[in-house]
């Protein structure tokens, strides 16, 4: 090989290296005074998530694995104090961090901006305008993004004086329960149905404040991956009918498990939610941002609720700030139960005998001998349940009562 050919080759290689270095050029972005380098095309939200903690804005509609998601709820608004090194002017309005990409030299303010906090408070107030105060009976309570958001940004009371929206009920089939009044129209469930199933049968119907999640002509959602819409719903609008009202999440113990699922698209990696020995529900595993790691099929989610169906891997890591991490104390010894001893082995039904003082009920009736809680029929003129009250010579005598 002549020196001329060698020189051409070397030049080509060098050019390739320069191009690759250019391609790999990272953008420097500063968020809440912390500077990191990210690849071009990264959104502000994703860059902030790399920093983590409170610097990451909340996201109610964006979902990393769902193409086209984001830009609906406005909870992720941030202030761009400097657009880029080339054009350091600030952006006049707050921007949705999930849909705005970083530029080299960009300066962003999230929790360090009063404007952002104020705007987020307003967004939360709007999201709650029509949202019912269902938390005490909602299955999502304890793992609801809106609940968390309202704790951080919500007001104590509402300024809304009008009637809240109500909707006609839609039956989505045997597995999924829709509570439209709780929906914040984030569109995540619509994207799941669009991108994970062959045919989408539900969507957002109507416009403005009449918009609602519904199926066209009352269809049930029965695709074998449709259960994933429950996991992506940030509020309790879509809940698992097989788990409904059965338990509160903070009483359950999440455990990672897997099985060889026959479905070609399902890896069978799940979280089992135990109370004692019983599996109350099965969900997909979620990452630290509450997003599903692997979609799971309906069979894994709704049909496999026995421990024998699964290979248990170990306890799920739960953030210590989550209410789900409460109550799972290790190595706590229970105090000794002394009530039985005090009561001579009787069950603790009646702790204080106020009969003789009140004279409301008949003192002859020994409440501790009645099976279950006493109620009015136990004081009617017949033999009370389980008492030895009607005995010869006992004042609890039907004849006497009739006089
Ligand atoms: S039902 Fe849930 S996931 Fe679907 S749009 Fe409403 S809030 Fe979003
Ligand atoms: S998460 Fe960005 S607008 Fe909803």
């Amino acid at each position: 090989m002549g020196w001329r050919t060698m020189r051409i080759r070397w030049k080509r290689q060098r050019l390739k290296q320069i191009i690759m270095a250019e391609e790999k050029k990272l953008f420097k972005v500063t968020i809440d005074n912390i500077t990191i380098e990210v690849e071009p095309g990264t959104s502000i939200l994703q860059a902030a998530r790399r920093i983590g903690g409170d610097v990451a804005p909340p996201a109610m509609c964006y979902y990393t694995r769902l193409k086209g998601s984001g830009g609906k709820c406005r909870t992720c608004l941030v202030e761009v104090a400097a657009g880029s090194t080339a054009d350091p002017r600030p952006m006049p309005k707050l921007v949705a961090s999930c849909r705005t990409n970083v530029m080299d030299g960009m300066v962003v303010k999230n929790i360090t901006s009063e404007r952002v906090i104020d705007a987020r408070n307003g967004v939360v107030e709007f999201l709650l305008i029509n949202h019912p105060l269902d938390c005490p009976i909602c299955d999502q309570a304890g793992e609801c993004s809106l609940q968390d958001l309202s704790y951080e940004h919500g007001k104590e009371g509402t300024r809304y004086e009008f009637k809240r929206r109500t909707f006609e009920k839609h039956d989505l089939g045997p597995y999924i329960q829709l509570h439209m009044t709780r929906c914040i129209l984030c569109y995540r469930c619509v994207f799941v149905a669009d991108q994970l199933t062959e045919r989408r049968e539900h969507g957002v119907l109507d416009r403005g404040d009449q918009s609602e999640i519904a199926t066209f002509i009352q269809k049930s959602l029965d695709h074998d991956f449709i259960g994933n819409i429950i996991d992506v719903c940030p509020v309790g609008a879509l809940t698992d009918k097989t788990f409904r009202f059965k338990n509160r999440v903070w009483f359950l113990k999440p455990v990672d498990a897997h099985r060889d699922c026959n479905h070609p698209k399902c890896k069978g990696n799940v979280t089992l939610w135990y109370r004692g020995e019983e599996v109350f529900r099965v969900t997909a595993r979620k990452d630290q941002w509450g997003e599903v790691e692997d979609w799971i099929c309906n069979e894994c989610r709704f049909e496999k609720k026995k421990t024998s169906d699964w290979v248990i891997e170990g306890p799920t890591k739960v953030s210590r700030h989550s209410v789900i991490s409460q109550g799972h104390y290790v190595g706590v010894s229970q105090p000794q139960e002394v009530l039985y001893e005090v009561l001579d082995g009787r069950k603790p039904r009646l702790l204080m005998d106020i009969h003789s003082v009140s004279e409301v009920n008949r003192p002859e009736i020994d409440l501790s001998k009645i099976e279950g809680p006493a109620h009015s029929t136990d004081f009617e003129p017949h033999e009370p349940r389980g008492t030895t009250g009607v005995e010869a010579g006992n004042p609890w005598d039907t004849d006497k009562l009739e006089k």
Side-chain angles (χ1 to χ4, degrees), residues 314-363:
T316 305
K317 268 192 194 158
V318 180
S319 158
R320 70 187 173 87
H321 299 295
S322 163
V323 71
I324 297 165
S325 71
Q326 307 303 305
H328 300 144
Y329 305 113
V330 177
V332 171
S333 54
Q334 292 281 331
Q336 196 199 337
E337 181 58 82
V338 290
L339 210 51
Y340 287 103
E341 274 174 40
V342 174
L343 295 174
D344 293 328
R346 279 186 291 135
K347 282 187 188 170
R349 285 193 195 117
L350 181 68
L351 293 179
M352 208 192 324
D353 189 350
I354 57 165
H355 284 313
S356 54
V357 183
S358 72
E359 288 183 349
V360 174
N361 295 325
R362 293 193 162 270

Side-chain angles (χ1 to χ4, degrees), residues 190-202 222-226 263-265:
V190 181
F191 287 121
V192 165
D194 246 352
Q195 293 167 28
L196 256 69
T197 68
E198 279 99 48
R199 56 181 201 287
R200 174 161 68 81
E201 303 212 316
H202 82 285
D222 51 13
H223 187 274
D224 47 11
F225 258 57
I226 200 70
H263 197 292
K265 284 194 205 159

Side-chain angles (χ1 to χ4, degrees), residues 29-32 43-49 54-59 74-82 90-102 106-120 123:
V29 53
T30 305
I31 309 174
D32 286 341
S43 66
I44 298 175
L45 180 80
Q46 288 295 7
R49 282 186 176 182
D54 288 345
V55 174
R74 322 307 284 179
T75 53
C76 67
L77 288 179
V78 290
E79 183 181 335
V80 176
M91 290 192 184
K93 288 183 184 174
L94 302 182
V95 298
S97 62
C98 65
R99 297 295 284 255
T100 311
N101 284 355
V102 295
M106 187 182 254
V107 178
V108 179
K109 288 182 177 179
N110 177 27
I111 48 171
T112 49
S113 163
E114 271 181 35
R115 271 175 77 201
V116 169
I117 302 299
D118 192 42
R120 205 164 281 155
V123 169

Side-chain angles (χ1 to χ4, degrees), residues 114-133:
E114 271 181 35
R115 271 175 77 201
V116 169
I117 302 299
D118 192 42
R120 205 164 281 155
N121 293 350
V123 169
V124 173
E125 192 174 2
F126 269 115
L127 286 177
L128 290 173
I129 272 184
N130 279 299
H131 197 85
L133 285 176

Side-chain angles (χ1 to χ4, degrees), residues 52-166:
D54 288 345
V55 174
M60 298 288 285
C61 67
Y62 173 80
Y63 213 81
T64 314
R65 296 177 57 122
L66 297 175
K67 239 174 91 193
S69 66
K72 316 264 184 318
C73 70
R74 322 307 284 179
T75 53
C76 67
L77 288 179
V78 290
E79 183 181 335
V80 176
S84 65
T85 314
D87 182 1
R89 287 177 301 170
M91 290 192 184
K93 288 183 184 174
L94 302 182
V95 298
S97 62
C98 65
R99 297 295 284 255
T100 311
N101 284 355
V102 295
M103 299 297 286
D104 195 24
M106 187 182 254
V107 178
V108 179
K109 288 182 177 179
N110 177 27
I111 48 171
T112 49
S113 163
E114 271 181 35
R115 271 175 77 201
V116 169
I117 302 299
D118 192 42
R120 205 164 281 155
N121 293 350
V123 169
V124 173
E125 192 174 2
F126 269 115
L127 286 177
L128 290 173
I129 272 184
N130 279 299
H131 197 85
L133 285 176
D134 267 356
C135 305
I137 51 130
C138 177
D139 284 317
Q140 190 87 356
E143 51 184 7
C144 173
S145 308
L146 188 56
Q147 202 179 27
D148 295 343
L149 205 61
S150 35
Y151 270 116
E152 283 157 24
H153 299 278
K155 288 190 162 44
E156 281 166 22
T158 177
R159 293 188 283 167
Y160 194 64
E161 288 173 359
F162 303 96
K163 236 176 134 187
R164 286 170 190 235
R165 280 181 314 177
T166 50

